Amino acid sequence: MELNIKAAVEAILFASGASVERERIARSLEITPEKVDEAVLALLDEYSSAERGITIIRLDDSYQMTSRKEYAEQIRTVMDSRRNTPLSQAALEVLAVVAYNQPVTKAFVEQVRGVDCSGVIGSLTTKGLIEEKGRLELPGRPLIYGTTENFLRCFNVSSLDELPALPEEEEAQSSEADEADQAEDLAQNNEEITEAPKTELSDE
């Protein structure tokens, strides 16, 4: 019997309960990662057209089956889940420093914020939003931190590339755009001056 790729991908994601790398799915089904992507897109179309309560999200190079966020409140009620404590302003600031500069050391985060961040980093690690990524080959071999797959899931992005640009980057992009417009205007003016018809001088 010929294998139904779409159904097989659905079964793998359902049974896993967690994210699964597309490469692993491809190897298990002996297909290319691109075929996995096609199967997921087909499933998403079906879920959307049938207004299903489940969906599939992409987390970097992995896929995960999950409930639709529209039904989060009802799911909490049935499962009697406790709401997670909202992140404090300090936690959000530390998380932003790590997300946009990773991998980073605790010392780097503290240098940016100007205060001790040991407790906040510990809390974010416990929540699974950041994790240890290794150590620097420097005296003391300090730990370096980066964001996790759970971070992508919680902030509803597929990869770090989808994070909004920092204000400084937006200003730089805006400045570059303005400079480009100014350069274009100068070029046009130069062409107009160059191509302007010359007026012969009269002896009168």
Side-chain angles (χ1 to χ4, degrees):
M1 183 179 74
E2 185 178 351
L3 181 67
N4 184 325
I5 301 299
K6 182 177 64 176
V9 170
E10 183 179 41
I12 290 172
L13 295 177
F14 176 80
S16 173
S19 62
V20 185
E21 294 180 358
R22 60 199 285 266
E23 293 284 350
R24 287 184 59 195
I25 299 174
R27 286 198 302 270
S28 70
L29 301 179
E30 298 181 346
I31 59 176
T32 64
E34 288 72 26
K35 288 291 184 182
V36 176
D37 295 338
E38 291 175 9
V40 169
L41 288 175
L43 287 169
L44 287 173
D45 285 340
E46 288 186 10
Y47 296 164
S48 178
S49 61
E51 297 185 351
R52 301 278 291 277
I54 57 174
T55 187
I56 298 173
I57 59 174
R58 183 163 183 169
L59 303 167
D60 281 335
D61 289 325
S62 301
Y63 285 114
Q64 180 174 358
M65 182 174 288
T66 181
S67 58
R68 297 182 69 88
K69 61 184 178 181
E70 293 91 332
Y71 307 109
E73 190 61 38
Q74 290 76 14
I75 293 171
R76 289 194 191 98
T77 301
V78 172
M79 299 181 67
D80 195 24
S81 299
R82 295 181 179 178
R83 291 177 179 272
N84 290 328
T85 304
L87 294 177
S88 65
Q89 184 62 35
L92 288 171
E93 290 176 4
V94 170
L95 197 53
V97 173
V98 175
Y100 284 96
N101 299 279
Q102 59 186 305
V104 296
T105 62
K106 181 170 74 73
F108 176 85
V109 177
E110 292 175 342
Q111 181 180 5
V112 172
R113 296 196 65 239
V115 295
D116 178 75
C117 298
S118 301
V120 179
I121 289 177
S123 175
L124 291 173
T125 302
T126 301
K127 290 179 180 293
L129 295 173
I130 65 173
E131 63 184 358
E132 297 174 2
K133 297 288 188 179
R135 293 180 179 273
L136 284 182
E137 294 300 327
L138 293 173
R141 302 195 65 218
L143 286 167
I144 52 177
Y145 296 88
T147 54
T148 64
E149 190 177 83
N150 190 45
F151 167 84
L152 300 177
R153 187 182 300 110
C154 290
F155 285 85
N156 198 29
V157 294
S158 298
S159 70
L160 295 174
D161 295 334
E162 294 182 14
L163 290 176
L166 293 171
E168 295 82 355
E169 294 177 355
E170 291 180 347
E171 290 175 4
Q173 292 172 357
S174 176
S175 177
E176 289 176 0
D178 291 342
E179 290 176 358
D181 291 340
Q182 292 173 0
E184 186 176 348
D185 291 341
L186 287 174
Q188 290 177 349
N189 291 339
N190 186 50
E191 288 179 2
E192 292 174 359
I193 294 172
T194 303
E195 295 175 1
K198 295 180 180 179
T199 304
E200 294 182 2
L201 294 176
S202 172
D203 292 334
E204 294 178 1

